[in-house]
Amino acid sequence: MKYLAVTIFSFLCVLFTGCDTHTKDYSDLESISFYNHEGNEITMEELKKDWNETITRASTKDASYEQEIKELKIETIRDNSSNEDYLILVASTSNSNAFSGKVISSFKDGFQLPKETVTCINCGSEFKGELVDGTWICADNGDKIDGCVRASTTSN
């Protein structure tokens, strides 16, 4: 009887701790402070302007496109090799076949943006950026996507 009570108690502890749904809500990006790669706080308008310039420079001879950021959101991504989780800022663009992403890191009271941006073009209807040992690829669960182009750019 004592063994059964301990077993049930252990099961309930695992059940309740395994169902932890306390994740941060990043849906209101306007309430989050963002800092450029130099550590200077920037407005959402400045962030979008700089990013728009960066993704426009990402045009290649194989995938030329004119676009602007339509929507930004924060997601979690797991590195395919190290299994480390990263927060990324993902931009959907006015071109429905182009999505862009940046790994962000905690900084002061918000997040710092890196210099590097990855843009995945003609890879599908959602962001297909993945990390392998910290390096960006555009793929679907590590598998190459026909016609998919990855453009990696750095901001000034």
Side-chain angles (χ1 to χ4, degrees), residues 90-110:
V90 175
S92 58
T93 68
S94 54
N95 177 335
S96 61
N97 290 321
F99 295 85
S100 191
K102 297 175 181 264
V103 173
I104 56 176
S105 54
S106 292
F107 186 76
K108 295 183 181 179
D109 61 340

Side-chain angles (χ1 to χ4, degrees), residues 49-156:
K49 181 180 181 236
D50 179 56
W51 204 333
N52 283 333
E53 291 171 3
T54 301
I55 58 178
T56 297
R57 286 194 319 266
S59 290
T60 66
K61 66 179 181 139
D62 297 327
S64 182
Y65 54 96
E66 185 70 32
Q67 64 187 346
E68 289 186 355
I69 291 176
K70 184 173 66 174
E71 178 186 18
L72 290 170
K73 64 183 175 178
I74 294 177
E75 296 181 0
T76 302
I77 190 171
R78 177 163 286 174
D79 188 296
N80 291 352
S81 183
S82 70
N83 287 324
E84 188 174 343
D85 287 336
Y86 293 91
L87 283 178
I88 59 171
L89 187 60
V90 175
S92 58
T93 68
S94 54
N95 177 335
S96 61
N97 290 321
F99 295 85
S100 191
K102 297 175 181 264
V103 173
I104 56 176
S105 54
S106 292
F107 186 76
K108 295 183 181 179
D109 61 340
F111 294 106
Q112 186 170 22
L113 302 163
K115 289 179 88 169
E116 183 182 20
T117 302
V118 66
T119 303
C120 298
I121 308 158
N122 295 327
C123 304
S125 60
E126 61 184 28
F127 181 64
K128 294 291 185 176
E130 297 182 10
L131 291 169
V132 177
D133 285 328
T135 302
W136 281 109
I137 64 170
C138 292
D140 189 10
N141 293 318
D143 295 330
K144 184 179 178 189
I145 302 169
D146 290 337
C148 178
V149 176
R150 177 187 69 92
S152 185
T153 53
T154 56
S155 56
N156 297 328

Side-chain angles (χ1 to χ4, degrees), residues 20-26:
D20 183 18
T21 59
H22 299 291
T23 58
K24 281 208 162 199
D25 178 18
Y26 298 116

Side-chain angles (χ1 to χ4, degrees), residues 39-56:
N40 300 317
E41 187 169 7
I42 57 174
T43 66
M44 188 59 64
E45 185 176 305
E46 292 169 320
L47 185 155
K48 288 179 180 179
K49 181 180 181 236
D50 179 56
W51 204 333
N52 283 333
E53 291 171 3
T54 301
I55 58 178
T56 297

